[in-house]
Amino acid sequence: MNKEEELIRKKSPVNIRNKKASFEYFFIETYTAGIVLTGTEIKSIRLGKASLVDTYCVITNGELWVKGMNVSPYFYGSYNNHEMKRDRKLLLTRREIQKLAAATKQTGYTIVPLLVFIDQKGRAKMDIALCKGKKEFDKRQTLKEKEDKREMDRAMKVYR
């Protein structure tokens, strides 16, 4: 991801993150995919009413689907409101999907959503990653590194 893409993600009015993913997995490769949504779903996401907790991606029939993504019903939606936890299709190139499918056939690898954001043209996008699960000792190491970084930041704050 280059600096321009990072800037787009930071400027986005919506940043829905999967905070647990970095604790549970090592990220091998990241991709940005479009999401196929209905009218009330995009309105709800623009209000920040979505969650990526316990969300994962599956490849079926050469298509990439996100399962378990919770998008709350739009408050002003009438009978046209959407289902909260329906499967949503992700848009990637055929080559990227084939690469992900080959990688997930290996044991221990999975595809996890990391971030949902709105791009400059108003479309919902999702950052996904090919991940390998962490072991228990890896998780302890991650917590220790996080705690050490926090202590260093505190020490630097005192000397400024």
Side-chain angles (χ1 to χ4, degrees), residues 90-148:
L90 296 179
L91 304 173
L92 283 177
T93 63
R94 183 178 296 132
R95 184 175 293 143
E96 289 173 334
I97 292 173
Q98 289 171 350
K99 189 175 179 182
L100 285 171
T104 54
K105 287 181 181 173
Q106 300 174 10
T107 57
Y109 287 91
T110 187
I111 306 167
V112 177
L114 304 177
L115 169 73
V116 174
F117 64 97
I118 305 292
D119 71 354
Q120 293 171 329
K121 295 182 179 178
R123 298 175 296 205
K125 300 282 185 170
M126 179 181 282
D127 282 346
I128 59 171
L130 176 65
C131 302
K132 184 171 177 81
K134 286 184 180 180
K135 305 283 188 218
E136 192 66 33
F137 60 86
D138 292 328
K139 292 178 185 177
R140 283 194 294 261
Q141 182 66 28
T142 303
L143 285 175
K144 186 174 182 338
E145 288 171 2
K146 196 174 188 180
E147 187 177 308
D148 290 344

Side-chain angles (χ1 to χ4, degrees), residues 27-85:
F27 302 142
I28 311 297
E29 277 185 275
T30 59
Y31 298 93
T32 301
I35 313 172
V36 178
L37 299 170
T38 62
T40 56
E41 285 175 328
I42 187 66
K43 291 177 182 184
S44 194
I45 286 176
R46 284 186 182 140
L47 292 175
K49 304 287 185 184
S51 173
L52 294 177
V53 177
D54 296 331
T55 308
Y56 62 97
C57 296
V58 175
I59 298 174
T60 53
N61 298 329
E63 296 178 337
L64 185 63
W65 295 85
V66 63
K67 294 189 177 263
M69 182 177 165
N70 185 3
V71 178
S72 297
Y74 184 58
F75 180 73
Y76 297 107
S78 57
Y79 62 91
N80 289 333
N81 248 338
H82 59 276
E83 284 183 49
M84 285 178 57
K85 286 205 171 199

